[in-house]
Each structure stands twice: as C-alpha cells, then as structure tokens.
Amino acid sequence: DQQVKQNSPSLSVQEGRISILNCDYTNSMFDYFLWYKKYPAEGPTFLISISSIKDKNEDGRFTVFLNKSAKHLSLHIVPSQPGDSAVYFCAATKGADGLTFGKGTHLIIQP
Amino acid sequence: KAGVTQTPRYLIKTRGQQVTLSCSPISGHRSVSWYQQTPGQGLQFLFEYFSETQRNKGNFPGRFSGRQFSNSRSEMNVSTLELGDSALYLCASSFRTGTGVDEQFFGPGTRLTVL
C-alpha cells in the first residue's frame, strides 16, 4: 500500500504558465513533507519543504500548499521555465523515520 | 564542498551473486540513507545509518544490509541477487541535528542490472 501517491505520471505545461503538481498521502502521522526534483542520470535534489503545522511555504517561484484535512499537498511553480522540466517527487516523513516517496510526476515545460 | 559520491556508477551482476555499493557522504554529514528506485515502485527507503549505527530500516528483506564506517562512509550489500533487484540505488547524506528533518543531499546513484 502506497502511503504517498502522485496520481499524475506526467504533466505538460506551457512556458510562463503555472505548473501544479499534486500529492496525496494516507498516513496522518506524517509531520513533514518535501518536494524533490530529479534530472536524468542525477540524484534527486531538494526543492522545498513544509511542516505539518503550516499550510503554505514559499521560496521564490516555488510554493507548497498543505491541506491536512484532505491529506493533500501541492507544489506550484510560477512562472514555469524550460529548466523546470524534470521528474518531481513528493516525500513525507514522521519523526526520525526515513522518507516515504511518491512515484513521481514528469513535468514537461513546452516552449 | 564535494557532494555525495557513489561507486560504482554502473554494475552488472547475475542472479545469485552478491554486490557491494559504496557511498561517501558530504564532509561533516554523519547520517547516510539508502534508497532503491525502480520504475514500478518509485523511490523506497532501505535504511539509514548514523554514527556507525543503523537508525532506521525500511521494509526490505534481510538480503539487503549495510554498514557505516567511522569516517561516515557507508556500504550497502545485497546478497543472492534476484532479477527484481535491478534498480537505481541512491545514497543520501544529511547533517542531523536531532531537532527536526534535515535536508538530504543525494548522490548520482548506482545503476545495478541483474541478469
């Protein structure tokens, strides 16, 4: 059973528009959520995170929203740029446990 | 500051063999975690080592084991390889202060193919 789900394997967005990547989780004990970005042949790189006590965290073009009642988080990228084309992983953790990842969403930014 | 390094980058083995992968964390990082990435399952947590002790373990069979040395370098071993063990194995290091989740820095991974 997957505790972190990214239901969209891929997403295509026009350059300059907003990209919205979604993530759902089932474990209500998760207390910290992270987004990672991965290019081919490279390891994931940390993008942005949010604690379960917050509902929004913003860092430049990236904003993560957390809806605890719906067990849902989303990553907004505004404006989308060609370099944003990558696979995005949502991850969650509780306490000092290891990260639980979703299967990823391949974001394609169209020129 | 050098990043996380993993060796070898690519490896081909046959069923039944064993394999050892190596990870050198960022200098000063004492926590090393290992993950397995497959197309079907995505990224899955294997285990975490901190100060030479296994601190967390994911849901993998005992064929998967690891260790950490006094210089924080870590090795992961898989015995009696199966075809399903073909995957990208990622190592991540972090500086764990004990006051919350710390950002993990990933290496480029080792691509293991089991024939």
Side-chain angles (χ1 to χ4, degrees):
Chain A
D1 63 328
Q2 247 203 319
Q3 297 188 64
V4 177
K5 298 178 185 177
Q6 294 177 256
N7 292 319
S8 298
S10 67
L11 175 68
S12 185
V13 174
Q14 199 169 7
E15 182 180 354
R17 306 294 290 267
I18 181 172
S19 294
I20 300 176
L21 296 101
N22 293 304
C23 178
D24 296 296
Y25 61 96
T26 58
N27 190 339
S28 57
M29 299 298 291
F30 285 139
D31 57 9
Y32 205 80
F33 303 89
L34 308 91
W35 284 93
Y36 283 81
K37 176 179 176 179
K38 186 179 187 299
Y39 293 117
E42 295 182 12
T45 55
F46 171 77
L47 204 53
I48 192 168
S49 63
I50 187 167
S51 164
S52 61
I53 63 173
K54 296 188 174 181
D55 55 20
K56 177 183 174 181
N57 188 27
E58 193 172 349
D59 183 2
R61 296 186 299 115
F62 304 91
T63 303
V64 56
F65 295 92
L66 175 62
N67 182 335
K68 282 184 65 179
S69 60
K71 294 192 179 70
H72 176 84
L73 65 155
S74 61
L75 173 67
H76 292 211
I77 306 174
V78 183
S80 300
Q81 298 175 353
D84 296 331
S85 294
V87 177
Y88 289 79
F89 289 96
C90 168
T93 187
K94 55 179 170 39
D97 289 356
L99 294 173
T100 300
F101 283 88
K103 292 189 178 182
T105 296
H106 186 193
L107 176 64
I108 302 160
I109 305 301
Q110 307 272 12
Chain B
K1 195 182 236 187
V4 178
T5 57
Q6 291 187 247
T7 57
R9 292 294 310 278
Y10 302 91
L11 205 49
I12 299 175
K13 292 283 188 178
T14 56
R15 278 181 299 173
Q17 286 187 310
Q18 76 160 17
V19 67
T20 299
L21 313 181
S22 180
C23 171
S24 292
I26 292 172
S27 177
H29 286 195
R30 295 168 66 190
S31 169
V32 173
S33 299
W34 288 89
Y35 295 84
Q36 180 196 64
Q37 184 185 4
T38 58
Q41 297 298 322
L43 272 160
Q44 293 185 287
F45 172 70
L46 279 154
F47 30 65
E48 180 203 5
Y49 285 87
F50 180 80
S51 293
E52 302 178 64
T53 301
Q54 187 180 87
R55 183 155 63 175
N56 283 305
K57 190 177 189 302
N59 189 26
F60 276 80
R63 299 185 297 107
F64 292 81
S65 63
R67 58 178 177 167
Q68 186 180 32
F69 302 94
S70 58
N71 61 359
S72 293
R73 189 177 71 84
S74 177
E75 285 182 349
M76 191 194 100
N77 185 78
V78 188
S79 62
T80 321
L81 283 166
E82 301 176 359
L83 294 179
D85 297 332
S86 294
L88 180 67
Y89 289 88
L90 290 158
C91 166
S93 76
S94 63
F95 178 73
R96 183 64 65 93
T97 63
T99 57
V101 177
D102 296 294
E103 178 185 335
Q104 292 194 331
F105 295 83
F106 283 83
T110 294
R111 171 72 63 184
L112 172 65
T113 302
V114 182
L115 302 175

